[in-house]
Amino acid sequence: MIDEHTESKRSGSFWRELPILLGVAILVAVLVRFFVLQTFYIPSPSMEHTLNVWDRVLVNKLVYDFREPRRGEIVVFRAPTEWQSGTEGEDFIKRIIGVSGDHVVCCDDQERLMINGHSLDEPFIYTDADGKQDPAADEKFDITVPAGRLWVMGDHRSASGDSLEHWEQSEDIQAATIKTDSIVGRAFTIFWPVSRATWLSVPKEFDSIPDPAQAN
């Protein structure tokens, strides 16, 4: 049987420990956000309809500490100064199309991008209400991605400020690509709105793309 004195001591202990528990919980949340996971919202139509405006995504900030970014992954990155609209430290979200050493060309005879000599089907590219799909690119190009950099594009090609747009403006491959170490993390799920919740997996079409050294 627990007497009133013991119960009073336990109650007093709980209230003394509560600020410590809250402090620990806040610290854990801050550490998780800073080092592991972070939420981002989508402010523009550049990734429609893979990501719609105001979708919320969860980003893994640790994954690239253990491996290199891969084609087909959707990444959040710190935008190069030339890409920014005036907001210092602006973050962008795009899909990786080419990694270091990749030879990316537009286009084959079916108007598909080619990576290391292999044509890439892109069913994720934006399709409008009438069923018309954006072209893979609005101009022909032929580039090789420099070491330590990535060629990134939005899924809504006609509404995306991305590697292709900056290549068309300058034909400077450095200006048209982003540094690998500018990546904040990989977006791996839409968690809001609940009706659109889904995993952001790499489309299977990227599986057959050969590495540059293996390309014929």
Side-chain angles (χ1 to χ4, degrees):
M1 185 175 188
I2 301 174
D3 61 29
E4 293 182 2
H5 179 67
T6 302
E7 187 67 30
S8 177
K9 286 178 64 178
R10 288 183 177 178
S11 178
S13 177
F14 170 77
W15 290 110
R16 286 194 301 272
E17 292 175 359
L18 182 58
I20 298 174
L21 294 173
L22 290 174
V24 170
I26 292 170
L27 178 61
V28 169
V30 169
L31 290 174
V32 168
R33 185 184 186 280
F34 191 80
F35 292 107
V36 183
L37 300 174
Q38 189 169 348
T39 61
F40 288 85
Y41 76 91
I42 308 305
S44 78
S46 69
M47 284 293 293
E48 288 179 335
H49 286 293
T50 304
L51 302 173
N52 288 337
V53 177
W54 305 124
D55 280 354
R56 263 64 172 177
V57 299
L58 198 58
V59 170
N60 183 333
K61 300 175 72 173
L62 278 182
V63 60
Y64 300 129
D65 289 338
F66 300 97
R67 66 168 176 83
E68 293 297 311
R70 296 170 182 167
R71 301 179 202 94
E73 293 178 335
I74 297 173
V75 294
V76 172
F77 58 94
R78 296 180 297 276
T81 302
E82 301 81 10
W83 293 32
Q84 295 179 23
S85 59
T87 304
E88 187 175 353
E90 192 174 6
D91 292 325
F92 278 29
I93 186 165
K94 306 291 179 189
R95 190 184 298 277
I96 298 173
I97 299 297
V99 298
S100 299
D102 278 348
H103 181 206
V104 186
V105 176
C106 174
C107 287
D108 67 7
D109 56 6
Q110 296 182 42
E111 298 303 314
R112 298 173 297 180
L113 296 183
M114 297 181 68
I115 304 174
N116 301 328
H118 185 94
S119 296
L120 176 67
D121 290 309
E122 297 181 280
F124 46 82
I125 290 180
Y126 174 82
T127 300
D128 66 19
D130 296 323
K132 183 179 179 181
Q133 188 180 55
D134 273 2
D138 58 7
E139 288 189 18
K140 296 186 181 300
F141 66 92
D142 185 334
I143 63 94
T144 298
V145 183
R149 303 189 75 87
L150 302 166
W151 179 273
V152 296
M153 300 177 76
D155 289 356
H156 192 170
R157 297 287 159 84
S158 60
S160 179
D162 53 22
S163 288
L164 179 58
E165 179 187 59
H166 292 279
W167 171 255
E168 291 173 350
Q169 291 175 355
S170 66
E171 294 195 0
D172 179 345
I173 195 59
Q174 297 292 322
T177 51
I178 65 167
K179 294 180 180 179
T180 301
D181 62 12
S182 71
I183 293 180
V184 174
R186 177 188 173 188
F188 66 94
T189 186
I190 301 171
F191 70 90
W192 191 264
V194 174
S195 60
R196 283 184 45 78
T198 188
W199 297 111
L200 297 172
S201 55
V202 174
K204 66 181 186 304
E205 286 78 11
F206 284 92
D207 294 346
S208 56
I209 301 296
D211 289 332
Q214 299 171 332
N216 294 324

